[in-house]
Amino acid sequence: MWFYEKKLQYPVRVSTCNPTLAKFLIEQYGGADGELAAALRYLNQRYTIPDKVIGLLTDIGTEEFAHLEMIATMVYKLTKDATPEQLKAAGLGDHYADHDKALFYHNAAGVPFTAAYIQAKGDPIADLYEDIAAEEKARATYQWIINMSDDPDLNDGLRFLREREIIHSQRFREAVEILKEEQGKKKIF
Amino acid sequence: MNKFLRTYHPYVSPFDPCKPILEKTYSTPPNLFMGFQPPNLPQFSPQEALRAGTLWKAFYDPWFNPFEKPKRGETS
């Protein structure tokens, strides 16, 4: 069960009307290494992983939904007052034709989200290594979006999200250490 | 330069069509070096931590667009 707190994890501020940035940001919404893929991956892996790390997957999977909500807010703010002409100029004409200004789970190139982006192998180490890789890929994606954005307010929020990827990667790495630990440790019964 | 950035120098051909980038950089964030987090690491204040995105100073590694001006007391 979840409790919903009606506020964003980090304030989202956007200083310029820039629908082109929304087109890039949607990568983190419905892309292969986006927040939706991350949340669904972690929450789904929880059932077949040792008890010790289930809580970690719950916590991080939940936080990914909070990040998804931030990305949605950013995209919405960047596009809500744009004219169809502006959207067309920003390369969002295809999106507008299909969705108006509604958000949709697809990547920056318009490819719709698919469960094939994520995996649940049932092997704890394989799954955690995939999670670590996913965090590093999301971190890199944030870097490239920040590099293309000249909006300091938006970049402030993106920097926060990138830092969270670093922390999540660290915690998954620690989860691997916890699962490795049993061996070589002297157990006293 | 940021201690979490590394550089390498790709091969440059005399026939490259674009102006070659002589030095490429990539990020090696702090989580690669820590292993299991040891106890009693220095912390940010709660207010700073909410802004930084982490409680732990050792994990703080912000990324800046090279063309972007820092704002509101941020430092790289």
Side-chain angles (χ1 to χ4, degrees):
Chain A
M1 189 168 109
W2 274 268
F3 287 99
Y4 183 72
E5 206 166 326
K6 199 175 162 64
K7 60 184 179 193
L8 293 174
Q9 190 190 7
Y10 188 89
V12 165
R13 290 178 49 181
V14 175
S15 47
T16 50
C17 172
N18 188 347
T20 315
L21 269 180
K23 182 176 162 60
F24 302 145
L25 268 174
I26 209 80
E27 182 69 29
Q28 290 290 35
Y29 196 64
D33 308 313
E35 304 290 355
L36 179 70
L40 297 180
R41 180 189 291 114
Y42 306 152
L43 293 176
N44 181 250
Q45 288 173 354
R46 291 182 296 168
Y47 300 93
T48 48
I49 208 139
D51 294 358
K52 283 177 176 175
V53 297
I54 292 175
L56 180 74
L57 286 173
T58 307
D59 287 353
I60 296 183
T62 303
E63 186 178 341
E64 302 294 0
F65 276 126
H67 295 173
L68 188 72
E69 194 181 34
M70 284 177 62
I71 299 291
T73 307
M74 290 174 179
V75 171
Y76 173 71
K77 284 193 177 192
L78 285 165
T79 53
K80 74 184 175 84
D81 297 316
T83 63
E85 276 309 314
Q86 284 174 309
L87 291 175
K88 213 156 66 174
L92 285 169
D94 316 32
H95 183 100
Y96 184 77
D98 195 10
H99 307 289
D100 186 19
K101 287 174 190 170
L103 278 77
F104 192 68
Y105 293 113
H106 57 200
N107 72 6
V111 181
F113 183 81
T114 163
Y117 286 156
I118 61 178
Q119 178 60 293
K121 211 69 208 175
D123 179 273
I125 299 300
D127 280 352
L128 284 170
Y129 269 68
E130 170 172 338
D131 300 347
I132 293 167
E135 295 294 339
E136 301 297 350
K137 286 190 283 179
R139 169 183 59 78
T141 307
Y142 280 120
Q143 290 166 196
W144 313 149
I145 296 174
I146 290 171
N147 282 358
M148 285 190 290
S149 158
D150 55 1
D151 186 329
D153 281 321
L154 192 80
N155 283 359
D156 188 53
L158 294 176
R159 255 192 294 283
F160 173 88
L161 290 169
R162 178 180 172 276
E163 180 66 39
R164 295 308 301 157
E165 307 294 344
I166 293 175
I167 299 298
H168 290 171
S169 172
Q170 168 70 18
R171 299 308 170 218
F172 283 133
R173 286 164 198 268
E174 287 170 353
V176 172
E177 293 306 313
I178 289 172
L179 298 188
K180 277 157 67 180
E181 197 185 38
E182 294 300 310
Q183 250 203 359
K185 200 175 75 175
K186 277 190 193 123
K187 268 197 170 169
I188 295 152
F189 293 101
Chain B
M1 190 161 101
N2 183 324
K3 65 177 169 173
F4 295 115
L5 287 181
R6 300 287 182 274
T7 58
Y8 66 102
H9 303 271
Y11 171 73
V12 175
S13 159
F15 307 113
D16 283 344
C18 303
K19 186 172 171 289
I21 298 169
L22 299 175
E23 187 175 85
K24 302 251 185 183
T25 58
Y26 57 97
S27 174
T28 52
N31 56 342
L32 301 181
F33 306 99
M34 185 74 67
F36 208 99
Q37 182 180 337
N40 304 319
L41 287 184
Q43 296 183 352
F44 286 118
S45 74
Q47 284 81 2
E48 287 171 330
L50 283 172
R51 274 198 61 81
T54 176
L55 182 58
W56 309 100
K57 292 184 175 177
F59 288 123
Y60 184 55
D61 169 33
W63 180 275
F64 292 92
N65 174 343
F67 308 104
E68 168 200 358
K69 294 176 193 75
K71 65 184 277 277
R72 293 208 298 261
E74 281 174 337
T75 48
S76 53

